[in-house]
């Protein structure tokens, strides 16, 4: 019976099995038409689940290595693709259907998600609580779903009460709900001078006036916020205090306290967007909203920590604002999908959320190390577990022209100008996302492409 020798321990087991299969076909150990072990036989031998073996065989079939026949088993194909020579260190790129490598969208590493969430879906279907996922939900969400949300929030906030949790259809929807419910058309909103486009589009779409507050390596500068408030009273401050997008800045506890004190002094509300809080290096740093709990709405979701398609967000609000937020959820989408909320709740209650978070943090740390190696000598700002980094290009590059050239060479990044609240001086920065490529080899290839382009003179391409 064929037994694969697994040598790669930094990737899912099913990929290691598929790689071993390709290696053994290429070396002649496996020949045309050889029958592979059954799922159960190989699962017992390797001490894994039959589902893992099924994924491995499916991956091998996708690569054109094997073919399965119902009732007969899985066989090595007659004409397998060429394999790399034994011991070759050349990276194997799996570019899928796209001709570009996308380093522009922040999302979690996806390779292990399908395996884990498939089980969660099956478990949900057999759950005795499945019925509540098929009907209308009360305002704010089902109490059980809100309690699960509170359990997720307790990793960051202490003393969370489920009655103060409001479910949303993801963080972007939560941001829209909070701004709509807590301000009016024409009101002034403040945020970091560099912020993610989602804030900019929501503010302008809702006819709010958006102004950026100057930043440094810790994020928003309290003195600059005070100066803005002296000129005009804001209705809301939207702030990303941990692993800020795009700069990756993390506010110190002292600065968070200063921001909260200014909110108290000038009587405005805070939307504490903590969607990346789980990536912060120091878990003892409390969210910004914990410094001003009676005038803050805490916002987070599962899309970055667990899976983009799990469109469930959580708003945690002081009691006096709850009805306004719940009413706005009802006005905008009537209710977030109870089916999705039930799946999210199962993931949280069963503890799968913490396993997946740890997987993401570990993978991000490895990919950050790759980026530091490839971008050695360049000016970057990042955090040990961040999904992205903020790269300052050497002169005379601009972010816009570099992003255009990178796209032409098969790599997508976002220019710093797209994060500017108020367009002014041309940006020399780009945001580079590290978690999107399927493999680390793909990431290294894409980063190497970027590094080689940076070394060129941009005037050659004008």
């Amino acid at each position: 019976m064929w037994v694969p020798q697994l040598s790669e321990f930094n990737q899912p087991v099913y990929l290691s099995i598929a790689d071993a299969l390709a290696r053994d076909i290429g070396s002649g150990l496996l020949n045309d038409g050889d029958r592979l072990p059954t799922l159960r036989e190989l699962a017992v031998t390797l001490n894994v689940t039959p589902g893992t073996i099924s994924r491995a065989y499916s991956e091998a079939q996708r690569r054109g290595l094997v073919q399965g026949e119902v009732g007969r088993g899985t066989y090595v194909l007659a004409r397998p693709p060429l394999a790399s020579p034994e011991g070759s260190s050349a990276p194997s790129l799996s570019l899928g259907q796209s001709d570009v490598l996308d380093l522009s969208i922040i999302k979690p590493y996806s390779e292990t998600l399908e395996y884990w969430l498939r089980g969660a879906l099956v478990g949900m279907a057999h759950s005795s609580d499945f019925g509540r996922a098929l009907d209308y939900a009360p305002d704010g969400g089902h109490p059980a779903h809100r309690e699960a949300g509170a359990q997720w929030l307790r990793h960051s906030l202490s003393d969370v009460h489920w009655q103060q949790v409001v479910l949303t259809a993801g963080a972007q929807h939560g941001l829209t709900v909070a701004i709509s419910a807590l301000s009016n058309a024409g009101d002034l909103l403040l945020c970091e001078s560099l912020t993610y486009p989602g804030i900019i589009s929501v503010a302008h779409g809702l006819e709010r006036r958006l102004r950026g507050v100057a930043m440094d390596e810790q994020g928003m500068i309290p003195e600059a916020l005070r100066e803005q408030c002296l000129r005009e009273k804001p209705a809301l401050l939207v702030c990303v205090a941990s692993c800020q997008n795009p700069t990756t800045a993390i506010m110190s506890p002292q600065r968070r306290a200063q921001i909260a004190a200014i909110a108290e002094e000038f009587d405005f509300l805070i939307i504490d967007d903590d969607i990346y809080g789980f990536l912060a290096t120091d878990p003892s740093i409390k969210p910004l909203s914990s410094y001003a709990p009676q005038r803050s709405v805490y916002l987070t979701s599962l899309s970055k920590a667990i899976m983009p398609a799990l469109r469930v967000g959580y708003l945690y609000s002081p009691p006096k604002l709850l009805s306004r937020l719940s009413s706005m959820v009802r006005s905008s989408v009537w209710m977030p999908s109870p089916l999705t909320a039930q799946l999210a709740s199962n993931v949280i209650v069963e503890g799968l959320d913490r396993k997946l978070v740890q997987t993401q943090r570990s993978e991000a740390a490895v990919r950050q190390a790759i980026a530091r190696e490839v971008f050695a000598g360049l000016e970057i700002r990042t955090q040990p577990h961040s999904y992205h980094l903020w790269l300052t290009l050497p002169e005379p590059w601009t972010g816009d022209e570099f992003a255009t050239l990178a796209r032409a060479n098969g790599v997508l990044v976002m220019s710093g100008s797209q994060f500017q609240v108020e367009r002014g001086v041309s940006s020399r920065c780009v945001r580079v996302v590290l978690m999107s490529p399927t493999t680390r080899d793909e990431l290294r290839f894409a980063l190497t492409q970027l590094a080689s382009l940076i070394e060129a003179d941009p005037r050659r391409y004008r």
Side-chain angles (χ1 to χ4, degrees):
M1 184 180 77
W2 174 72
V3 178
Q5 300 301 309
L6 306 184
S7 58
E8 175 58 75
F9 297 102
N10 293 320
Q11 64 178 359
V13 173
Y14 81 93
L15 287 178
S16 296
I17 296 172
D19 289 347
L21 184 58
R23 184 174 61 246
D24 289 349
I25 292 173
S27 68
L29 182 62
L30 288 173
N31 299 309
D32 303 346
D34 282 353
R35 186 179 185 276
L36 296 179
T38 67
L39 303 184
R40 186 169 299 279
E41 286 172 341
L42 197 52
V44 170
T45 301
L46 297 179
N47 194 28
V48 298
T49 67
T52 299
I53 307 303
S54 176
R55 287 206 70 190
Y57 284 2
S58 295
E59 173 65 16
Q61 185 164 340
R62 186 188 69 81
R63 299 183 191 182
L65 300 170
V66 302
Q67 180 172 339
E69 299 181 22
V70 177
R72 295 190 63 232
T74 303
Y75 294 82
V76 174
L77 276 180
R79 285 195 291 267
L82 292 176
S84 297
E86 184 72 22
S88 171
S89 60
S92 174
L93 299 181
S94 301
L95 300 183
Q97 298 301 313
S98 176
D99 60 351
V100 297
L101 287 166
D102 193 345
L103 308 188
S104 67
I105 300 176
I106 297 181
K107 60 181 182 179
Y109 172 64
S110 62
E111 198 60 28
T112 60
L113 295 180
E114 182 182 341
Y115 170 79
W116 290 107
L117 290 175
R118 188 187 299 271
L121 283 165
V122 172
M124 180 179 72
H126 291 91
S127 170
S128 60
D129 299 325
F130 186 55
R132 69 175 166 223
L134 307 178
D135 202 352
Y136 286 102
D139 282 357
H142 282 295
H145 297 163
R146 295 165 73 185
E147 172 54 41
Q151 185 173 324
W152 171 256
L153 298 182
R154 289 184 190 115
H155 295 296
S156 302
L157 290 171
S158 59
D159 250 357
V160 172
H161 305 288
W162 71 264
Q163 294 91 340
Q164 292 173 235
V165 175
V166 175
L167 265 66
T168 67
Q172 185 71 14
H173 178 235
L175 179 68
T176 303
V177 164
I179 292 176
S180 300
L182 305 179
S183 65
N184 300 304
D187 280 353
L188 176 64
L189 270 61
L190 299 179
C191 65
E192 294 95 343
S193 58
L194 292 168
T195 192
Y196 65 96
I199 291 179
I200 299 173
S201 62
V202 168
H204 291 306
L206 295 175
E207 298 183 340
R208 272 53 166 179
R209 293 179 296 120
L210 188 65
R211 296 287 181 272
V213 180
M215 305 170 66
D216 60 14
E217 67 280 354
Q218 282 192 42
M220 184 177 292
I221 302 172
E223 293 77 11
L225 174 61
R226 172 179 285 277
E227 290 175 8
Q228 289 269 22
C229 294
L230 288 172
R231 287 195 294 270
E232 185 177 6
K233 182 180 181 298
L236 285 174
L237 170 68
V238 183
C239 192
V240 183
S242 293
C243 295
Q244 199 262 349
N245 183 10
T247 68
T248 76
I250 296 180
M251 279 189 186
S252 66
Q254 296 78 12
R255 181 164 297 193
R256 295 173 193 238
Q258 288 176 295
I259 298 289
I262 293 172
E264 188 72 35
E265 179 182 356
F266 290 94
D267 190 27
F268 59 81
L269 297 174
I270 297 172
I271 299 177
D272 179 14
D273 186 344
D274 198 36
I275 193 170
Y276 300 109
F278 70 99
L279 296 174
T281 305
D282 184 355
S284 67
I285 297 180
K286 298 178 181 178
L288 173 61
S289 53
S290 66
Y291 292 86
Q294 294 309 308
R295 60 175 59 253
S296 299
V297 173
Y298 181 84
L299 167 65
T300 190
S301 80
L302 300 180
S303 62
K304 305 300 184 186
I306 308 299
M307 186 179 185
L310 204 55
R311 305 304 302 170
V312 177
Y314 303 103
L315 292 170
Y316 190 71
S317 164
K320 63 182 179 182
L321 303 178
L322 276 172
S323 62
R324 292 160 66 180
L325 295 171
S326 296
S327 295
M328 190 55 64
V329 170
R330 186 171 62 250
S331 298
S332 57
V333 297
W334 190 260
M335 64 178 184
S337 166
L339 195 63
T340 307
Q342 182 67 41
L343 176 60
S345 299
N346 286 5
V347 168
I348 293 169
V349 171
E350 294 169 8
L352 180 55
D353 60 328
R354 303 320 298 171
K355 294 178 183 177
L356 293 174
V357 163
Q358 188 53 50
T359 296
Q360 297 301 333
R361 286 173 58 89
S362 299
E363 184 66 24
V366 173
R367 294 184 178 222
Q368 285 288 342
I370 293 172
R372 288 194 299 272
E373 177 189 339
V374 176
F375 287 156
L378 296 174
E379 182 181 345
I380 61 174
R381 291 174 59 182
T382 191
Q383 302 294 336
H385 301 102
S386 176
Y387 284 1
H388 70 282
L389 58 83
W390 188 238
L391 171 64
T392 300
L393 300 162
E395 293 182 338
W397 278 112
T398 68
D400 288 342
E401 62 189 359
F402 183 79
T404 300
L405 181 61
R407 173 187 282 271
N409 283 269
V411 184
L412 302 183
V413 296
M414 285 187 70
S415 168
S417 63
Q418 295 181 260
F419 302 94
Q420 293 175 332
V421 174
E422 299 161 63
R423 299 294 177 90
V425 180
S426 180
S427 173
R428 286 198 296 118
C429 296
V430 290
R431 188 190 70 182
V432 182
V433 175
L434 306 179
M435 302 292 277
S436 299
T438 303
T439 69
R440 296 169 187 176
D441 282 338
E442 285 182 8
L443 174 66
R444 184 180 293 276
F445 177 83
L447 296 182
T448 301
Q449 286 284 86
L450 295 178
S452 66
L453 292 175
I454 292 173
E455 295 175 357
D457 187 335
R459 289 169 292 193
R460 294 172 54 191
Y461 302 98
R462 289 174 179 168

